[in-house]
Structure formats: structure tokens, C-alpha cells
Amino acid sequence: MTRAVLSLGSNLGDRLAHLRAAVAALGDTVLMVSGVYETPPWGDADQPAYLNAAVMVADPAATPRDWLERARAAERAAGRVRDPERRFGPRTLDVDVIAVWDAAGEPVLSDDPELTLPHPRAHLRAFVLRPWIDIEPHGRLPGHGWLTDLLNAEPLAGDALELSPRPDLALESTP
């Protein structure tokens, strides 16, 4: 079995619907879903605000590459178009594979340029760490440390203050 943390983000179109569709596409692999946060754009400020969330998923047969393919399929379904000229530009849906653990619970490490694990910039992104803390309060980013320590460290402390929890928005319906 592999377990993974995926980061979801959207800042074009019906942002919440795109996040919900990604969760739905992951189906019964979803173990937990974070709250939704509204966040300023990262890396390229000339674009609308994002909605971000994190999802913990598990599948006994999934490889790290499978998680990447599922992420890309969800992006394609949301109509994502990659602009090679604007790396951190706006998007209908962005699904990043942040970290993967094997059946023994050991972190999977990869330096594959297409799937670097853990995600090489996750420790620098409050919009990844804060939602992840929702679903794993005592979580650790492999190779970097405790999520809460990373979120409270400079330079992220300022970024974390710019995240707005959106308790009025839910990714999953409650029975």
C-alpha cells in the first residue's frame, strides 16, 4: 500500500467545484480532506487568489507514478492548460504529489525531474503545509521536519498569516 499527501489548488473558474471534482475523481482512495483556505498567489502575484486544500489518499496497488497520473488526470478533467511561459500562472486546477509513503510507512524518495519526492518546494509553501496540518496535525515532511515547525519558521510565518480559512466551503458533503 502507498499513502500520499496531495495538494489541491484552483484560481480560475468555479474554484470550489474544481477542488470538489478532484476529490471526487480520487474516489475511495481518499482517507481525509483538509479544510479550504483562500490564499494569495505564490510566485506570480498578477493573478486571482487561490482556494487550496490537502488530501490524504491510500491505495494498496498505487505507485508514486500512479499518484502523479491521477493528479494529472484530475487537472485535465478540470481543463487545465499548462503555459510554458508562465510557470506559476493561474490554473483551473493544480494537483501536486507532496509526499508518498510505502507499505511499511517509509517515505518514498525520488529525484526524477517529473516526480521529485518529497515535493521540492513544499517546505516553502504555507498553502501546502497549513491544510496538511488539518489532516495530520503531528505530520512530518520527509527530510524537512515537523509541519508546524516549518509553517512557523521564517520566511513562512508571514505567508501563513495571509491564509484565510474558509469554513463556509467544504470539499466533502457530510451525511
Side-chain angles (χ1 to χ4, degrees):
M1 171 190 281
T2 63
R3 181 174 55 95
V5 170
L6 308 178
S7 176
L8 310 177
S10 175
N11 75 337
L12 292 178
D14 187 338
R15 301 174 302 163
L16 183 60
H18 292 310
L19 298 183
R20 286 178 173 161
V23 171
L26 293 164
D28 62 2
T29 67
V30 175
L31 299 176
M32 288 179 276
V33 178
S34 75
V36 176
Y37 292 82
E38 191 152 20
T39 64
W42 189 93
D44 181 345
D46 188 23
Q47 59 184 307
Y50 277 81
L51 289 182
N52 288 99
V55 181
M56 178 75 69
V57 291
D59 182 337
T63 66
R65 175 87 32 203
D66 292 332
W67 293 121
L68 178 63
E69 289 306 316
R70 291 174 189 184
R72 288 181 175 168
E75 290 175 346
R76 283 191 302 274
R80 165 122 185 227
V81 177
R82 293 181 185 272
D83 181 350
E85 301 297 317
R86 197 169 179 196
R87 181 172 181 195
F88 298 115
R91 62 235 14 215
T92 55
L93 182 65
D94 186 38
V95 182
D96 287 332
V97 180
I98 303 301
V100 177
W101 294 266
D102 65 19
E106 294 296 318
V108 176
L109 305 177
S110 170
D111 60 2
D112 181 333
E114 213 174 354
L115 181 61
T116 304
L117 292 171
H119 190 287
R121 291 171 297 284
H123 67 288
L124 301 172
R125 295 178 172 175
F127 66 84
V128 170
L129 299 171
R130 182 61 196 97
W132 185 358
I133 290 168
D134 282 0
I135 59 177
E136 197 174 28
H138 302 289
R140 293 176 62 101
L141 176 60
H144 294 280
W146 298 105
L147 302 177
T148 51
D149 289 346
L150 294 169
L151 186 63
N152 291 316
E154 288 298 329
L156 286 191
D159 288 350
L161 295 174
E162 294 184 22
L163 273 68
S164 300
R166 293 293 308 267
D168 56 313
L169 305 178
L171 293 185
E172 293 185 309
S173 60
T174 53

